[in-house]
Amino acid sequence: MLKIIFTSADILRTRVASAADPVWELVLSLHLLQGRQREPLLTEWRRNTARRLRTHSANERFRLLLALNPPRGYFPDFLTPYASKEGFQAGLEAVRETSVDMLRRDLTRLAEESPLPTSAAALARGEPEVLEHLTDSMARYHSLAVTPYWSRIQAAVEADRARRARAMLDGGPEGLLASLRPSMRWADGVLEVLDYPDSRELRLDGRGLLLVPSFFCARTPVALLDPTLPPVLVYPVDRLGGLLGEAGTGAGGNPDGTREALAALLGRTRAAVLEAADDGCTTGEVARRLRISAAAASQHTTVLRNAGLLVSQRDRNTVLHTLTPLGRAVLDA
């Protein structure tokens, strides 16, 4: 179990990342891609990504990147720099600027658990051409495995952020931390990450905590090993049906299905439902605002969700609906 120890200052300085983190999504997707455990919602993504990697001579181009990201156990802290919260290129630049001391420390730790290719020795020495090769591989992998699905990833993360925002409004920072159940438990100034692979404590000491919602994070949240780095906790979001198709297609990757679903949107009531979901809205709130029955509100939100304009998340006895990027574009138009 991981225990994160908060002071009163840490509670006030806890926040949720403003968007999906492209470097964390890249790294965590590599773990899922290579893992033996099959996730039904990601079956098509795994198949498509494996095919793309084979097409692009993956064995050599991505050999070091894959070795640095084993499906289980430790992976290097330097691959997910704090700077990645500012965007993908900022994250890659931070990886290229990693100190030799950090490279040596992280790779020594990794070598104790996983075999590494010969190029890892040059990486541990901080040789610029190897760091450049690594970040080039990261950028190439991102374009093949993450970019085609980015709108779906963003929609899932944005839906989770709306859920955390409501928890903050209802219960303040402690309400936000309490909303992270069931994989975590908040009580008496301690956030416990259940089923963590090892037992340790992380004392925030006034630095606060950055919560990073992640599409590709597996069931267990992830924290950096080095306690001196800015505290980050990456946690899984509801994948909202998974990655069923290429970007721009509907359920099952069928563009005709998307067009049929969008055709069902015509009408004033559904437009009003879409507007109500602009800031996040439960089914009951939709019904009250539009003065329609709960059954009718549920039917309209289902049509909007199937068309890719809404995402819905269940929290206990309520379902929260928020706009996807496409839904927001339709509303703005």
Side-chain angles (χ1 to χ4, degrees), residues 269-285:
T269 302
R270 285 182 188 145
V273 173
L274 199 64
E275 186 173 3
D278 189 17
D279 295 317
C281 197
T282 67
T283 304
E285 289 168 345

Side-chain angles (χ1 to χ4, degrees), residues 143-159:
S143 70
L144 297 175
V146 180
T147 300
Y149 306 95
W150 191 244
S151 63
R152 187 73 171 178
I153 293 167
Q154 284 181 307
V157 168
E158 189 58 36

Side-chain angles (χ1 to χ4, degrees), residues 223-271:
L224 299 174
L225 183 64
D226 186 350
T228 67
L229 293 173
V232 172
L233 183 67
V234 184
Y235 66 92
V237 303
D238 187 330
R239 294 193 179 117
L240 307 175
L243 299 177
L244 296 176
E246 301 297 318
T249 65
N254 178 7
D256 291 334
T258 299
R259 287 193 291 271
E260 292 171 4
L262 289 173
L265 294 178
L266 299 176
R268 291 181 181 272
T269 302
R270 285 182 188 145

Side-chain angles (χ1 to χ4, degrees), residues 76-123:
D77 286 345
F78 78 84
L79 287 177
T80 52
Y82 194 73
S84 66
K85 67 186 181 67
E86 304 298 333
F88 188 52
Q89 293 305 320
L92 293 186
E93 184 61 28
V95 172
R96 281 191 288 267
E97 294 178 354
T98 305
S99 69
V100 173
D101 287 344
M102 188 173 188
L103 289 169
R104 186 182 300 115
R105 181 203 64 191
D106 285 7
L107 292 172
T108 299
R109 170 65 188 271
L110 181 61
E112 293 172 355
E113 300 183 12
S114 305
L116 295 176
T118 55
S119 56
L123 179 62

Side-chain angles (χ1 to χ4, degrees), residues 27-222:
V27 167
L28 294 175
S29 75
L30 282 163
H31 302 171
L32 291 177
L33 181 68
Q34 300 183 84
R36 294 181 179 179
Q37 188 172 6
R38 293 295 179 258
E39 306 232 5
L41 294 178
L42 298 179
T43 298
E44 184 174 331
W45 169 80
R46 292 181 70 147
R47 182 169 58 247
N48 288 339
T49 298
R51 173 177 52 80
R52 291 190 183 108
L53 293 182
R54 287 193 299 269
T55 302
H56 290 80
S57 303
N59 289 341
E60 290 304 320
R61 181 190 294 270
F62 300 110
R63 186 181 179 193
L64 177 59
L65 179 61
L66 292 168
L68 294 178
N69 289 280
R72 294 179 303 280
Y74 173 78
F75 63 95
D77 286 345
F78 78 84
L79 287 177
T80 52
Y82 194 73
S84 66
K85 67 186 181 67
E86 304 298 333
F88 188 52
Q89 293 305 320
L92 293 186
E93 184 61 28
V95 172
R96 281 191 288 267
E97 294 178 354
T98 305
S99 69
V100 173
D101 287 344
M102 188 173 188
L103 289 169
R104 186 182 300 115
R105 181 203 64 191
D106 285 7
L107 292 172
T108 299
R109 170 65 188 271
L110 181 61
E112 293 172 355
E113 300 183 12
S114 305
L116 295 176
T118 55
S119 56
L123 179 62
R125 294 192 296 270
E127 295 184 10
E129 61 271 21
V130 182
L131 280 163
E132 191 69 32
H133 168 76
L134 175 61
T135 53
D136 284 349
S137 298
M138 293 173 70
R140 186 59 179 163
Y141 174 84
H142 189 272
S143 70
L144 297 175
V146 180
T147 300
Y149 306 95
W150 191 244
S151 63
R152 187 73 171 178
I153 293 167
Q154 284 181 307
V157 168
E158 189 58 36
D160 186 86
R161 277 175 46 80
R163 177 182 175 186
R164 306 308 164 195
R166 289 175 69 91
M168 174 74 84
L169 288 172
D170 291 343
E174 294 198 67
L176 166 64
L177 292 164
S179 76
L180 297 171
R181 59 183 183 275
S183 60
M184 292 175 267
R185 181 171 57 218
W186 168 255
D188 301 324
V190 178
L191 183 64
E192 296 179 338
V193 181
L194 310 177
D195 297 325
Y196 204 73
D198 61 337
S199 295
R200 61 186 176 98
E201 290 187 355
L202 171 60
R203 295 187 175 273
L204 300 180
D205 295 328
R207 295 173 294 171
L209 180 66
L210 178 64
L211 295 165
V212 180
S214 169
F215 186 94
F216 283 111
C217 184
R219 296 178 181 86
T220 304
V222 180

